[in-house]
Amino acid sequence: MHELYLRAGHETRIRSGHLWVFSNELQSIPRLPPGSLVRVVSAEGESFGVGLYNPHSLICVRLLGTDEVTDLDVPFFAERLRHALQLRERICKGESMYRLVHGESDLLPGLVIDRYGNYCAVQTLSTGMDQRLPIIVEALRHVLPEIEGIVEKNHSHLRQLEQLPQRQGILYGQVPERFVLEEFGLRVELRLMEGQKTGAYLDQRYHRAVVGRMASGLRVLDCFTYHGGFALHAALHGAREVVGVDSSASALEAARRNAELNQLQAVQFVEADVFTFLGEQVAEGKQWDMVILDPPAFAKSRRHVPAAKRGYGEINRLALLLLPPGGYLVTSSCSHHVFEAVFLEVIFAEATRLKRRLRLLYRGTQPSDHPILLNMPETQYLKFFIFQVL
Ligand code: SAH
């Protein structure tokens, strides 16, 4: 196996368990085929294990967290998948939808697998993983023999960084055009061949249940509603009036179908840009008892952080203007680059400017099937808060 040497003084982060080696940390970038298995060694000769190489990516090596790997074959993936499944069977008991593999946090860098009942959606976000997709599918079928169909949802901006094409399709078996699963009492229609992410935003599912339970009798505005998640949980729990807003017409069609599926009448969906919509609501003097903000990642990289902070500031300010004393602000950010303390500062600054006192009722992050690898801060991305305006 080819050995790649780190430049002297560049081993601290990797020795502490981080799984990425950046191109500027290596003594040289050899002309090996992308996707090759390589061993990473310090300038003094200390081995940091093996990983997948891509000379064309800023993340040049993604380590697999162990020394023993010699071949990424079906038994290798089957073993890692079995470990991943064991954890989910423990922590997601009784749930039909969960994240089975969360990339680096499951020591499978660049691989994401979500389970939706007897179907799986797979994303390969690195060249090394992408090349091994057929092997991964075989291992997945081995570990989960009840799986009837596997789709690839490979349309992520992260693939562009690896020069991988955007792709979507069936990898194994058959997947119905649509099927229904349950999320904490709410029936949800899934169309794995359509939609954003791998189908549903599984990372907010416990938060949707928490918010739903709080919402009975309230007037609830769910911004960035996608398939109606928060809005429908609120309606299910007896919210008085619910409006969900999103700019995607196809997402809202799915939201309306989900409302019908659950026979929920007190909910309406509006196609609009949230920034504009909130501004109009403020201008009209409208009031809501609960405003939910679950925007897409505003900062996809570090250089977008200042603009992202302005965006978060703007929507949180407008939401606060719609809430009377006693109202609830449910607000989140999934931008890894905007750290929790920074996000809180932005909200605090807006509240202070508006002379509102906020009481923090609930603080959350991603659920345990999206584990955070302490050695890799990059694996932590979700921030979620429920505040009450005093
Ligand atoms: N709350 C959802 C997930 C939201 S994902 C859930 O729990 O399932 C983010 C959503 O924001 C996407 O549906 C996207 O279409 C929408 N979106 C992105 N930018 C927007 C904008 N400026 N105005 C309205 N919706 C927007």
Side-chain angles (χ1 to χ4, degrees):
M1 192 182 304
H2 209 95
E3 295 194 335
L4 297 190
Y5 284 87
L6 291 170
R7 289 167 54 197
H10 280 85
E11 61 285 327
T12 316
R13 188 175 44 80
I14 295 152
R15 187 179 286 129
S16 76
H18 202 285
L19 295 173
W20 292 348
V21 181
F22 294 100
S23 53
N24 62 350
E25 295 171 325
L26 290 170
Q27 291 184 11
S28 66
I29 313 280
R31 277 185 182 222
L32 294 171
S36 301
L37 212 52
V38 294
R39 178 178 301 282
V40 174
V41 183
S42 76
E44 287 80 36
E46 180 186 355
S47 171
F48 293 120
V50 299
L52 290 166
Y53 181 57
N54 184 357
H56 308 308
S57 169
L58 193 63
I59 305 171
C60 231
V61 184
R62 291 165 189 258
L63 291 165
L64 294 157
T66 159
D67 240 0
E68 286 99 66
V69 185
T70 48
D71 193 10
L72 293 196
D73 49 10
V74 173
F76 165 83
F77 279 107
E79 194 193 302
R80 296 246 157 142
L81 291 177
R82 217 171 280 124
H83 276 128
L85 181 63
Q86 270 169 10
L87 174 69
R88 276 55 178 196
E89 284 181 336
R90 184 175 296 283
I91 60 183
C92 311
K93 232 172 245 151
E95 291 189 77
S96 53
M97 297 185 254
Y98 53 76
R99 176 149 294 187
L100 174 62
V101 172
H102 189 55
E104 278 69 0
S105 304
D106 283 291
L107 298 182
L108 287 167
L111 179 65
V112 172
I113 305 179
D114 285 341
R115 181 173 187 181
Y116 297 99
N118 282 343
Y119 307 99
C120 281
V122 179
Q123 283 186 315
T124 43
L125 304 170
S126 73
T127 301
M129 283 296 165
D130 198 57
Q131 286 173 351
R132 290 164 177 87
L133 204 44
I135 303 173
I136 295 165
V137 168
E138 202 181 322
L140 189 54
R141 289 178 54 196
H142 195 72
V143 173
L144 278 173
E146 65 269 40
I147 287 297
E148 294 165 32
I150 303 173
V151 297
E152 83 173 302
K153 301 274 293 180
N154 268 328
H155 43 47
S156 163
H157 75 279
L158 293 172
R159 280 175 64 90
Q160 285 159 15
L161 304 177
E162 294 267 327
Q163 300 176 2
L164 291 168
Q166 306 289 303
R167 236 174 25 213
Q168 172 153 309
I170 295 202
L171 295 172
Y172 161 71
Q174 283 177 345
V175 180
E177 197 192 316
R178 58 177 93 175
F179 57 98
V180 174
L181 292 174
E182 203 166 286
E183 178 185 275
F184 306 117
L186 185 79
R187 287 157 59 77
V188 181
E189 185 186 86
L190 289 145
R191 298 188 175 206
L192 292 189
M193 297 311 290
E194 291 170 23
Q196 305 169 11
K197 258 206 164 177
T198 68
Y201 286 86
L202 296 174
D203 52 359
Q204 292 277 37
R205 69 188 191 281
Y206 298 144
H207 298 151
R208 288 191 284 267
V210 168
V211 166
R213 279 204 303 273
M214 281 179 62
S216 63
L218 303 183
R219 297 165 297 170
V220 177
L221 177 62
D222 177 20
C223 300
F224 310 96
T225 192
Y226 186 52
H227 289 178
F230 284 99
L232 294 168
H233 274 281
L236 187 70
H237 284 86
R240 179 146 55 97
E241 181 191 346
V242 186
V243 170
V245 185
D246 203 284
S247 55
S248 157
S250 60
L252 292 177
E253 267 172 44
R256 290 189 188 106
R257 280 197 304 272
N258 282 333
E260 245 170 68
L261 199 60
N262 292 278
Q263 295 169 332
L264 296 170
Q265 270 107 36
V267 52
Q268 269 185 311
F269 292 102
V270 178
E271 185 182 336
D273 174 77
V274 164
F275 289 81
T276 315
F277 183 86
L278 287 175
E280 287 165 3
Q281 294 273 300
V282 171
E284 287 165 22
K286 189 84 182 127
Q287 297 256 283
W288 295 89
D289 304 312
M290 177 184 266
V291 179
I292 301 160
L293 302 172
D294 182 22
F298 283 165
K300 290 217 160 50
S301 74
R302 210 178 311 168
R303 75 193 153 87
H304 293 125
V305 168
K309 283 170 67 178
R310 285 195 295 278
Y312 289 125
E314 169 92 4
I315 53 175
N316 281 281
R317 182 178 62 82
L318 293 169
L320 284 171
L321 286 169
L322 295 173
L323 290 166
Y328 301 96
L329 173 67
V330 178
T331 184
S332 68
S333 158
C334 58
S335 305
H336 155 71
H337 298 280
V338 178
F339 303 138
E340 188 191 64
V342 173
F343 185 56
L344 275 173
E345 252 169 51
V346 168
I347 294 163
F348 182 46
E350 297 301 338
T352 309
R353 204 165 304 149
L354 297 173
K355 297 196 167 50
R356 305 284 161 98
R357 195 172 263 124
L358 291 185
R359 169 155 85 161
L360 179 59
L361 305 182
Y362 186 101
R363 173 192 225 143
T365 182
Q366 62 226 54
S368 41
D369 56 343
H370 297 57
I372 296 163
L373 200 59
L374 220 50
N375 324 62
M376 274 194 80
E378 292 85 349
T379 57
Q380 171 158 32
Y381 65 96
L382 192 63
K383 279 84 50 190
F384 176 86
F385 300 101
I386 304 177
F387 295 104
Q388 188 176 30
V389 183
L390 289 185

